[in-house]
Amino acid sequence: MKTTTLTIPELALIAGTRVMLGGGIGLLLADRLGKEKRQAVGWTLLLTGVLTTIPIGLLVFCKRR
């Protein structure tokens, strides 16, 4: 079995990207805010979450033993 050791800041960074992705998807699916505001914030969170996931994923996979 392969193991990966992560520091607390790395784990917090991974959790933060998951929160951004989830929040963005939630805002895009919700009907609580005005359509323009909701879509602007939702797409921003979603894209930020996706774009920050790529380098973090590479960091984690490069640290595997």
Side-chain angles (χ1 to χ4, degrees):
M1 178 187 340
K2 294 182 180 183
T3 60
T4 303
T5 304
L6 298 173
T7 63
I8 301 250
E10 290 171 337
L11 189 58
L13 197 58
I14 293 168
T17 61
R18 304 296 100 201
V19 168
M20 283 190 278
L21 281 168
I25 291 170
L27 282 172
L28 290 172
L29 296 175
D31 287 333
R32 297 256 176 178
L33 297 173
K35 185 177 180 179
E36 291 83 21
K37 286 182 185 179
R38 182 175 40 89
Q39 284 184 342
V41 174
W43 282 112
T44 301
L45 286 173
L46 180 70
L47 292 175
T48 303
V50 168
L51 292 176
T52 56
T53 297
I54 295 167
I56 293 170
L58 291 174
L59 173 79
V60 169
F61 285 117
C62 290
K63 290 180 88 175
R64 279 189 155 180
R65 292 186 229 163

